[in-house]
Amino acid sequence: MLQVFLIGVLLLNINTAAAFEPISTSIAVGMAAALTGFLATYQNIFYYFEECCRPEWISFNKTGLEVDLDQKLFGQHIVSRVVLKAITGFMKNKNPKKALVLSLHGWTGTGKNFVSYLIAENIYKKGMASSFIHQFVATAHFPHQSQIENYKSQLQHWIKGNVTNCPQSMFIFDEMDKMPLGLIDSIKPYLDYYETLDDISYRQAIFIFLSNSGGENIMQVALDFWRAGKDREEIELKDLEMALSLSVFNNKNSGFWHISLIDKNLVDFFVPFVPLEYKHLVQCGMAEMDAQGLVPNHTLVDQMVRDMVFFPKSEKIFSVTGCKTISNKLSYYGEHVFKQKTTADGAGAGVSAGWNIYSYFYESCDSQWIDFNSTGLEVDLNRKLFGQHIVSRVVLKAITGFMKTKNPKKPLVLSLHGGTGTGKNFVSQLIAKNLYKKGTDSGFFHQFVATAHFPHQSQIENYKSQLQHWIKGNITNCPQSMFIFDEMDKMQPGLIDSIKPYLDYYEKLDGVFNRQAIFIFLR
């Protein structure tokens, strides 16, 4: 009706214009033709502006995924090959027999979350921001084993509801090694070969599981190849897949322990991420500099990587942290020497800020109240902190580098250690003083003391829930919040693990952007 009405109006204008000006007639005819073509493509105009479960918003880009895996993922030849084939084959199949299930395994920093991100970017127009991508993190969404039955019911309803809304939904489950035992088995029916289940087809959905479990087996195979003088590129999926699936299935500390997904062969591919070597970290560093708009500097990246920890101790082949810490370490190593790339007119990127009269009187999360003073911190550390030359140097570089990074990949996390009276709390106060206009009195500065705020072991589950809500709420209010945790040696065991997701590399978690926050632990 909308299409007919609009064209009718244009034709009416054509008849009127024809009596006066032939050029107007031609323009009107052209407009009518263009509008007809537009409406033929977007018969409901809302499809164009509002994300919906249609090809305009969900369209697999095979070439894009292939290029991304080739140019942005380093040292993972098996992953690149398996993921590209698995996703391409599934997306090309108009009538798949079951949902696609991938299980990505390997140690931290090897690229599991990054690969999930690349898949999303090349299927959904909005990438990870798509409302059809659903990410679950074990320690954030399922922290209490005692709530397992509630979690099962909630998870089933969530998956059923979202697949009903869009059959081409994607579900990512991170920290599978910390998932409550038995939880994932509750969604087994949605991953099986049923044509429909309660009149809903789950066959076009994608499920991706991420886990550190199996990393030991993967490392041992890679180490055996290295000691035998073979290239890591000679490792094939068949060298790892069977041993990987068995080790994961039999690991009592894993959310995969004896689950029917493995027993019934519902996981399509176990994808192994091999530990990264020196050359791969250099590639990560150079790519990260480019991503941050910095002029690549191989000498500095090389220095940074050489200072990182590798194992085994005797050979020092594989990185302990992989590429995960590269972003913040770049800020530390390159504070004074990295140069910003210039824009087309030769000027560096700039940021303009608006001004609100209310923010003049009331503290708000903007540059009037949060403005890092690098010189002030340097002077304070030099003149007021005594006998701590390492602390002064590391803290100044870490804070300065982090605050200068416009798009950090994760929050800054510092852990200060030493005997009482050596200056740990004082350093935290100096950081706050030179970051917030109100210093430690700022509403964005939050301090927790173990014996005062978390005194009872019996209340550990309540503390976990309260702490998660506190951090999430305050970062929602101000992304540049600072959280201090004092008396870490007296903190209830397991409590800090509950906030691990907010310190990780997720772009967003439950719609909240955590990457600009600062966490400081004192022990």
Side-chain angles (χ1 to χ4, degrees), residues 260-300:
S260 58
L261 264 66
I262 297 177
D263 192 37
K264 301 298 182 183
N265 298 311
L266 296 179
V267 177
D268 297 297
F269 295 96
F270 288 90
V271 186
F273 285 69
V274 181
L276 299 181
E277 300 175 18
Y278 163 83
K279 62 181 179 181
H280 305 124
L281 268 62
V282 171
Q283 290 176 308
C284 287
M286 297 295 283
E288 180 61 28
M289 288 189 72
D290 186 64
Q292 291 186 18
L294 301 169
V295 177
N297 187 319
H298 190 278
T299 302
L300 281 169

mmCIF file of all heavy atoms in Angstrom, residues 260-300:
data_model
loop_
_atom_site.group_PDB
_atom_site.id
_atom_site.type_symbol
_atom_site.label_atom_id
_atom_site.label_comp_id
_atom_site.label_asym_id
_atom_site.label_seq_id
_atom_site.Cartn_x
_atom_site.Cartn_y
_atom_site.Cartn_z
ATOM 1 N N SER A 260 26.707 -35.167 27.093
ATOM 2 C CA SER A 260 26.186 -35.945 25.968
ATOM 3 C C SER A 260 26.498 -35.302 24.626
ATOM 4 O O SER A 260 26.448 -35.968 23.594
ATOM 5 C CB SER A 260 24.672 -36.123 26.121
ATOM 6 O OG SER A 260 24.020 -34.875 26.199
ATOM 7 N N LEU A 261 26.839 -34.007 24.606
ATOM 8 C CA LEU A 261 27.199 -33.354 23.347
ATOM 9 C C LEU A 261 28.387 -34.061 22.704
ATOM 10 O O LEU A 261 28.433 -34.235 21.482
ATOM 11 C CB LEU A 261 27.570 -31.884 23.588
ATOM 12 C CG LEU A 261 26.487 -30.832 23.386
ATOM 13 C CD1 LEU A 261 25.392 -31.009 24.417
ATOM 14 C CD2 LEU A 261 27.087 -29.438 23.503
ATOM 15 N N ILE A 262 29.344 -34.461 23.543
ATOM 16 C CA ILE A 262 30.515 -35.170 23.026
ATOM 17 C C ILE A 262 30.188 -36.641 22.830
ATOM 18 O O ILE A 262 30.519 -37.242 21.803
ATOM 19 C CB ILE A 262 31.713 -34.999 23.984
ATOM 20 C CG1 ILE A 262 32.110 -33.519 24.068
ATOM 21 C CG2 ILE A 262 32.900 -35.835 23.509
ATOM 22 C CD1 ILE A 262 33.243 -33.238 25.041
ATOM 23 N N ASP A 263 29.520 -37.217 23.809
ATOM 24 C CA ASP A 263 29.181 -38.642 23.758
ATOM 25 C C ASP A 263 28.333 -38.974 22.535
ATOM 26 O O ASP A 263 28.473 -40.045 21.934
ATOM 27 C CB ASP A 263 28.447 -39.023 25.046
ATOM 28 C CG ASP A 263 28.323 -40.519 25.218
ATOM 29 O OD1 ASP A 263 29.277 -41.232 24.849
ATOM 30 O OD2 ASP A 263 27.282 -40.977 25.720
ATOM 31 N N LYS A 264 27.447 -38.054 22.142
ATOM 32 C CA LYS A 264 26.558 -38.269 20.995
ATOM 33 C C LYS A 264 27.102 -37.652 19.707
ATOM 34 O O LYS A 264 26.391 -37.538 18.708
ATOM 35 C CB LYS A 264 25.175 -37.674 21.289
ATOM 36 C CG LYS A 264 24.488 -38.261 22.518
ATOM 37 C CD LYS A 264 24.223 -39.748 22.376
ATOM 38 C CE LYS A 264 23.485 -40.295 23.594
ATOM 39 N NZ LYS A 264 23.282 -41.762 23.502
ATOM 40 N N ASN A 265 28.366 -37.223 19.743
ATOM 41 C CA ASN A 265 29.037 -36.677 18.552
ATOM 42 C C ASN A 265 28.306 -35.481 17.948
ATOM 43 O O ASN A 265 28.174 -35.361 16.723
ATOM 44 C CB ASN A 265 29.208 -37.774 17.487
ATOM 45 C CG ASN A 265 30.075 -38.920 17.966
ATOM 46 O OD1 ASN A 265 31.165 -38.697 18.486
ATOM 47 N ND2 ASN A 265 29.583 -40.141 17.811
ATOM 48 N N LEU A 266 27.846 -34.585 18.808
ATOM 49 C CA LEU A 266 27.130 -33.405 18.325
ATOM 50 C C LEU A 266 28.047 -32.203 18.119
ATOM 51 O O LEU A 266 27.621 -31.188 17.570
ATOM 52 C CB LEU A 266 26.002 -33.041 19.302
ATOM 53 C CG LEU A 266 24.893 -34.092 19.426
ATOM 54 C CD1 LEU A 266 23.846 -33.647 20.441
ATOM 55 C CD2 LEU A 266 24.240 -34.363 18.073
ATOM 56 N N VAL A 267 29.299 -32.311 18.581
ATOM 57 C CA VAL A 267 30.278 -31.257 18.310
ATOM 58 C C VAL A 267 30.892 -31.540 16.946
ATOM 59 O O VAL A 267 31.508 -32.583 16.733
ATOM 60 C CB VAL A 267 31.380 -31.213 19.392
ATOM 61 C CG1 VAL A 267 32.419 -30.157 19.043
ATOM 62 C CG2 VAL A 267 30.767 -30.924 20.761
ATOM 63 N N ASP A 268 30.701 -30.628 16.003
ATOM 64 C CA ASP A 268 31.152 -30.867 14.630
ATOM 65 C C ASP A 268 32.669 -30.813 14.498
ATOM 66 O O ASP A 268 33.264 -31.614 13.776
ATOM 67 C CB ASP A 268 30.504 -29.840 13.690
ATOM 68 C CG ASP A 268 28.996 -29.983 13.655
ATOM 69 O OD1 ASP A 268 28.514 -31.040 13.231
ATOM 70 O OD2 ASP A 268 28.296 -29.043 14.078
ATOM 71 N N PHE A 269 33.289 -29.847 15.183
ATOM 72 C CA PHE A 269 34.743 -29.726 15.103
ATOM 73 C C PHE A 269 35.313 -29.305 16.452
ATOM 74 O O PHE A 269 34.840 -28.340 17.055
ATOM 75 C CB PHE A 269 35.162 -28.685 14.050
ATOM 76 C CG PHE A 269 34.806 -29.058 12.638
ATOM 77 C CD1 PHE A 269 33.638 -28.580 12.056
ATOM 78 C CD2 PHE A 269 35.635 -29.888 11.892
ATOM 79 C CE1 PHE A 269 33.299 -28.916 10.761
ATOM 80 C CE2 PHE A 269 35.299 -30.235 10.585
ATOM 81 C CZ PHE A 269 34.134 -29.747 10.020
ATOM 82 N N PHE A 270 36.320 -30.051 16.912
ATOM 83 C CA PHE A 270 37.153 -29.600 18.025
ATOM 84 C C PHE A 270 38.339 -28.875 17.389
ATOM 85 O O PHE A 270 39.140 -29.489 16.679
ATOM 86 C CB PHE A 270 37.639 -30.784 18.862
ATOM 87 C CG PHE A 270 36.558 -31.412 19.694
ATOM 88 C CD1 PHE A 270 35.794 -32.457 19.190
ATOM 89 C CD2 PHE A 270 36.296 -30.953 20.975
ATOM 90 C CE1 PHE A 270 34.796 -33.037 19.954
ATOM 91 C CE2 PHE A 270 35.297 -31.526 21.747
ATOM 92 C CZ PHE A 270 34.538 -32.573 21.236
ATOM 93 N N VAL A 271 38.431 -27.581 17.629
ATOM 94 C CA VAL A 271 39.426 -26.761 16.932
ATOM 95 C C VAL A 271 40.560 -26.402 17.892
ATOM 96 O O VAL A 271 40.349 -25.670 18.864
ATOM 97 C CB VAL A 271 38.783 -25.479 16.368
ATOM 98 C CG1 VAL A 271 39.790 -24.720 15.513
ATOM 99 C CG2 VAL A 271 37.534 -25.817 15.553
ATOM 100 N N PRO A 272 41.779 -26.903 17.646
ATOM 101 C CA PRO A 272 42.900 -26.660 18.565
ATOM 102 C C PRO A 272 43.676 -25.383 18.233
ATOM 103 O O PRO A 272 44.050 -25.152 17.083
ATOM 104 C CB PRO A 272 43.779 -27.894 18.354
ATOM 105 C CG PRO A 272 43.538 -28.277 16.924
ATOM 106 C CD PRO A 272 42.125 -27.872 16.591
ATOM 107 N N PHE A 273 43.924 -24.568 19.247
ATOM 108 C CA PHE A 273 44.742 -23.361 19.110
ATOM 109 C C PHE A 273 46.116 -23.650 19.717
ATOM 110 O O PHE A 273 46.242 -23.857 20.927
ATOM 111 C CB PHE A 273 44.085 -22.180 19.828
ATOM 112 C CG PHE A 273 42.898 -21.607 19.100
ATOM 113 C CD1 PHE A 273 41.720 -22.335 18.983
ATOM 114 C CD2 PHE A 273 42.957 -20.344 18.536
ATOM 115 C CE1 PHE A 273 40.621 -21.819 18.313
ATOM 116 C CE2 PHE A 273 41.867 -19.812 17.859
ATOM 117 C CZ PHE A 273 40.697 -20.548 17.746
ATOM 118 N N VAL A 274 47.134 -23.661 18.871
ATOM 119 C CA VAL A 274 48.487 -24.001 19.302
ATOM 120 C C VAL A 274 49.118 -22.797 20.006
ATOM 121 O O VAL A 274 48.904 -21.650 19.597
ATOM 122 C CB VAL A 274 49.342 -24.417 18.081
ATOM 123 C CG1 VAL A 274 50.755 -24.807 18.506
ATOM 124 C CG2 VAL A 274 48.669 -25.579 17.343
ATOM 125 N N PRO A 275 49.897 -23.021 21.088
ATOM 126 C CA PRO A 275 50.565 -21.897 21.767
ATOM 127 C C PRO A 275 51.406 -21.083 20.788
ATOM 128 O O PRO A 275 52.003 -21.633 19.855
ATOM 129 C CB PRO A 275 51.451 -22.596 22.805
ATOM 130 C CG PRO A 275 50.812 -23.916 23.038
ATOM 131 C CD PRO A 275 50.200 -24.313 21.731
ATOM 132 N N LEU A 276 51.460 -19.780 21.002
ATOM 133 C CA LEU A 276 52.153 -18.888 20.074
ATOM 134 C C LEU A 276 53.639 -18.771 20.397
ATOM 135 O O LEU A 276 54.055 -18.863 21.553
ATOM 136 C CB LEU A 276 51.502 -17.505 20.103
ATOM 137 C CG LEU A 276 50.026 -17.465 19.684
ATOM 138 C CD1 LEU A 276 49.496 -16.041 19.739
ATOM 139 C CD2 LEU A 276 49.832 -18.056 18.291
ATOM 140 N N GLU A 277 54.428 -18.550 19.359
ATOM 141 C CA GLU A 277 55.869 -18.401 19.495
ATOM 142 C C GLU A 277 56.261 -16.925 19.359
ATOM 143 O O GLU A 277 55.419 -16.062 19.094
ATOM 144 C CB GLU A 277 56.574 -19.252 18.433
ATOM 145 C CG GLU A 277 56.256 -20.739 18.538
ATOM 146 C CD GLU A 277 56.858 -21.564 17.408
ATOM 147 O OE1 GLU A 277 57.796 -21.068 16.740
ATOM 148 O OE2 GLU A 277 56.385 -22.693 17.185
ATOM 149 N N TYR A 278 57.547 -16.684 19.516
ATOM 150 C CA TYR A 278 58.086 -15.315 19.477
ATOM 151 C C TYR A 278 57.641 -14.552 18.225
ATOM 152 O O TYR A 278 57.159 -13.418 18.302
ATOM 153 C CB TYR A 278 59.617 -15.378 19.548
ATOM 154 C CG TYR A 278 60.305 -14.108 19.129
ATOM 155 C CD1 TYR A 278 60.460 -13.045 20.021
ATOM 156 C CD2 TYR A 278 60.790 -13.959 17.828
ATOM 157 C CE1 TYR A 278 61.083 -11.876 19.625
ATOM 158 C CE2 TYR A 278 61.415 -12.792 17.426
ATOM 159 C CZ TYR A 278 61.559 -11.754 18.324
ATOM 160 O OH TYR A 278 62.163 -10.593 17.928
ATOM 161 N N LYS A 279 57.791 -15.170 17.049
ATOM 162 C CA LYS A 279 57.493 -14.469 15.794
ATOM 163 C C LYS A 279 56.022 -14.072 15.702
ATOM 164 O O LYS A 279 55.681 -13.041 15.110
ATOM 165 C CB LYS A 279 57.880 -15.336 14.596
ATOM 166 C CG LYS A 279 57.118 -16.652 14.485
ATOM 167 C CD LYS A 279 57.590 -17.467 13.282
ATOM 168 C CE LYS A 279 56.836 -18.794 13.182
ATOM 169 N NZ LYS A 279 57.313 -19.605 12.032
ATOM 170 N N HIS A 280 55.151 -14.879 16.301
ATOM 171 C CA HIS A 280 53.720 -14.569 16.241
ATOM 172 C C HIS A 280 53.386 -13.368 17.122
ATOM 173 O O HIS A 280 52.532 -12.545 16.781
ATOM 174 C CB HIS A 280 52.903 -15.787 16.674
ATOM 175 C CG HIS A 280 53.220 -17.019 15.898
ATOM 176 N ND1 HIS A 280 53.613 -18.196 16.494
ATOM 177 C CD2 HIS A 280 53.244 -17.240 14.553
ATOM 178 C CE1 HIS A 280 53.841 -19.100 15.557
ATOM 179 N NE2 HIS A 280 53.632 -18.550 14.375
ATOM 180 N N LEU A 281 54.066 -13.258 18.263
ATOM 181 C CA LEU A 281 53.837 -12.110 19.139
ATOM 182 C C LEU A 281 54.322 -10.815 18.486
ATOM 183 O O LEU A 281 53.712 -9.755 18.660
ATOM 184 C CB LEU A 281 54.525 -12.318 20.489
ATOM 185 C CG LEU A 281 53.651 -12.970 21.576
ATOM 186 C CD1 LEU A 281 53.211 -14.359 21.166
ATOM 187 C CD2 LEU A 281 54.380 -13.013 22.905
ATOM 188 N N VAL A 282 55.406 -10.905 17.734
ATOM 189 C CA VAL A 282 55.883 -9.728 16.993
ATOM 190 C C VAL A 282 54.828 -9.311 15.969
ATOM 191 O O VAL A 282 54.517 -8.120 15.817
ATOM 192 C CB VAL A 282 57.227 -10.019 16.297
ATOM 193 C CG1 VAL A 282 57.603 -8.870 15.360
ATOM 194 C CG2 VAL A 282 58.326 -10.230 17.332
ATOM 195 N N GLN A 283 54.252 -10.286 15.277
ATOM 196 C CA GLN A 283 53.192 -9.980 14.308
ATOM 197 C C GLN A 283 51.996 -9.328 15.001
ATOM 198 O O GLN A 283 51.411 -8.371 14.485
ATOM 199 C CB GLN A 283 52.756 -11.264 13.595
ATOM 200 C CG GLN A 283 53.791 -11.836 12.647
ATOM 201 C CD GLN A 283 53.353 -13.164 12.046
ATOM 202 O OE1 GLN A 283 52.978 -14.094 12.758
ATOM 203 N NE2 GLN A 283 53.403 -13.261 10.726
ATOM 204 N N CYS A 284 51.631 -9.850 16.175
ATOM 205 C CA CYS A 284 50.526 -9.265 16.940
ATOM 206 C C CYS A 284 50.835 -7.818 17.312
ATOM 207 O O CYS A 284 49.975 -6.934 17.219
ATOM 208 C CB CYS A 284 50.275 -10.067 18.219
ATOM 209 S SG CYS A 284 49.486 -11.664 17.969
ATOM 210 N N GLY A 285 52.073 -7.584 17.761
ATOM 211 C CA GLY A 285 52.467 -6.239 18.171
ATOM 212 C C GLY A 285 52.418 -5.246 17.027
ATOM 213 O O GLY A 285 51.912 -4.126 17.178
ATOM 214 N N MET A 286 52.915 -5.645 15.870
ATOM 215 C CA MET A 286 52.900 -4.754 14.707
ATOM 216 C C MET A 286 51.466 -4.479 14.254
ATOM 217 O O MET A 286 51.113 -3.347 13.906
ATOM 218 C CB MET A 286 53.708 -5.387 13.568
ATOM 219 C CG MET A 286 55.191 -5.582 13.893
ATOM 220 S SD MET A 286 56.080 -4.023 14.130
ATOM 221 C CE MET A 286 56.283 -3.522 12.414
ATOM 222 N N ALA A 287 50.630 -5.513 14.281
ATOM 223 C CA ALA A 287 49.227 -5.341 13.885
ATOM 224 C C ALA A 287 48.488 -4.441 14.869
ATOM 225 O O ALA A 287 47.656 -3.618 14.476
ATOM 226 C CB ALA A 287 48.540 -6.702 13.793
ATOM 227 N N GLU A 288 48.805 -4.583 16.154
ATOM 228 C CA GLU A 288 48.146 -3.764 17.170
ATOM 229 C C GLU A 288 48.537 -2.299 17.028
ATOM 230 O O GLU A 288 47.710 -1.401 17.195
ATOM 231 C CB GLU A 288 48.502 -4.277 18.564
ATOM 232 C CG GLU A 288 47.859 -3.503 19.701
ATOM 233 C CD GLU A 288 46.340 -3.537 19.669
ATOM 234 O OE1 GLU A 288 45.769 -4.517 19.159
ATOM 235 O OE2 GLU A 288 45.715 -2.566 20.143
ATOM 236 N N MET A 289 49.796 -2.031 16.715
ATOM 237 C CA MET A 289 50.224 -0.648 16.493
ATOM 238 C C MET A 289 49.448 -0.030 15.334
ATOM 239 O O MET A 289 48.988 1.115 15.412
ATOM 240 C CB MET A 289 51.727 -0.598 16.205
ATOM 241 C CG MET A 289 52.609 -0.880 17.399
ATOM 242 S SD MET A 289 54.357 -0.562 17.051
ATOM 243 C CE MET A 289 54.363 1.228 16.991
ATOM 244 N N ASP A 290 49.309 -0.795 14.273
ATOM 245 C CA ASP A 290 48.566 -0.303 13.114
ATOM 246 C C ASP A 290 47.109 -0.047 13.475
ATOM 247 O O ASP A 290 46.518 0.957 13.073
ATOM 248 C CB ASP A 290 48.663 -1.316 11.970
ATOM 249 C CG ASP A 290 48.035 -0.804 10.689
ATOM 250 O OD1 ASP A 290 48.537 0.191 10.140
ATOM 251 O OD2 ASP A 290 47.031 -1.400 10.244
ATOM 252 N N ALA A 291 46.526 -0.954 14.269
ATOM 253 C CA ALA A 291 45.125 -0.805 14.676
ATOM 254 C C ALA A 291 44.918 0.426 15.550
ATOM 255 O O ALA A 291 43.857 1.048 15.526
ATOM 256 C CB ALA A 291 44.659 -2.057 15.414
ATOM 257 N N GLN A 292 45.947 0.788 16.335
ATOM 258 C CA GLN A 292 45.850 1.956 17.205
ATOM 259 C C GLN A 292 46.215 3.252 16.485
ATOM 260 O O GLN A 292 46.239 4.320 17.090
ATOM 261 C CB GLN A 292 46.761 1.778 18.425
ATOM 262 C CG GLN A 292 46.296 0.702 19.393
ATOM 263 C CD GLN A 292 47.142 0.652 20.656
ATOM 264 O OE1 GLN A 292 47.865 1.592 20.978
ATOM 265 N NE2 GLN A 292 47.052 -0.451 21.388
ATOM 266 N N GLY A 293 46.499 3.155 15.175
ATOM 267 C CA GLY A 293 46.852 4.349 14.422
ATOM 268 C C GLY A 293 48.262 4.825 14.695
ATOM 269 O O GLY A 293 48.570 6.010 14.544
ATOM 270 N N LEU A 294 49.144 3.891 15.102
ATOM 271 C CA LEU A 294 50.526 4.243 15.410
ATOM 272 C C LEU A 294 51.453 3.815 14.277
ATOM 273 O O LEU A 294 51.164 2.865 13.550
ATOM 274 C CB LEU A 294 50.968 3.558 16.708
ATOM 275 C CG LEU A 294 50.148 3.886 17.959
ATOM 276 C CD1 LEU A 294 50.514 2.953 19.097
ATOM 277 C CD2 LEU A 294 50.361 5.340 18.373
ATOM 278 N N VAL A 295 52.553 4.522 14.129
ATOM 279 C CA VAL A 295 53.549 4.154 13.130
ATOM 280 C C VAL A 295 54.268 2.893 13.607
ATOM 281 O O VAL A 295 54.846 2.885 14.696
ATOM 282 C CB VAL A 295 54.572 5.292 12.933
ATOM 283 C CG1 VAL A 295 55.646 4.865 11.937
ATOM 284 C CG2 VAL A 295 53.869 6.559 12.453
ATOM 285 N N PRO A 296 54.215 1.795 12.848
ATOM 286 C CA PRO A 296 54.855 0.544 13.279
ATOM 287 C C PRO A 296 56.340 0.737 13.583
ATOM 288 O O PRO A 296 57.054 1.412 12.848
ATOM 289 C CB PRO A 296 54.644 -0.383 12.076
ATOM 290 C CG PRO A 296 53.424 0.149 11.403
ATOM 291 C CD PRO A 296 53.499 1.641 11.564
ATOM 292 N N ASN A 297 56.776 0.138 14.683
ATOM 293 C CA ASN A 297 58.170 0.251 15.118
ATOM 294 C C ASN A 297 58.640 -1.141 15.532
ATOM 295 O O ASN A 297 58.388 -1.595 16.647
ATOM 296 C CB ASN A 297 58.272 1.235 16.289
ATOM 297 C CG ASN A 297 59.709 1.524 16.682
ATOM 298 O OD1 ASN A 297 60.543 0.631 16.715
ATOM 299 N ND2 ASN A 297 59.987 2.783 16.996
ATOM 300 N N HIS A 298 59.318 -1.820 14.615
ATOM 301 C CA HIS A 298 59.715 -3.208 14.848
ATOM 302 C C HIS A 298 60.691 -3.336 16.011
ATOM 303 O O HIS A 298 60.647 -4.308 16.775
ATOM 304 C CB HIS A 298 60.335 -3.795 13.573
ATOM 305 C CG HIS A 298 60.548 -5.276 13.641
ATOM 306 N ND1 HIS A 298 61.641 -5.853 14.264
ATOM 307 C CD2 HIS A 298 59.792 -6.309 13.176
ATOM 308 C CE1 HIS A 298 61.558 -7.164 14.176
ATOM 309 N NE2 HIS A 298 60.445 -7.473 13.520
ATOM 310 N N THR A 299 61.559 -2.359 16.181
ATOM 311 C CA THR A 299 62.555 -2.416 17.255
ATOM 312 C C THR A 299 61.890 -2.446 18.625
ATOM 313 O O THR A 299 62.253 -3.246 19.502
ATOM 314 C CB THR A 299 63.507 -1.207 17.171
ATOM 315 O OG1 THR A 299 64.142 -1.203 15.893
ATOM 316 C CG2 THR A 299 64.562 -1.271 18.266
ATOM 317 N N LEU A 300 60.903 -1.588 18.821
ATOM 318 C CA LEU A 300 60.216 -1.538 20.110
ATOM 319 C C LEU A 300 59.366 -2.774 20.348
ATOM 320 O O LEU A 300 59.308 -3.295 21.461
ATOM 321 C CB LEU A 300 59.356 -0.276 20.187
ATOM 322 C CG LEU A 300 60.148 0.988 20.509
ATOM 323 C CD1 LEU A 300 59.301 2.219 20.307
ATOM 324 C CD2 LEU A 300 60.651 0.936 21.935
#
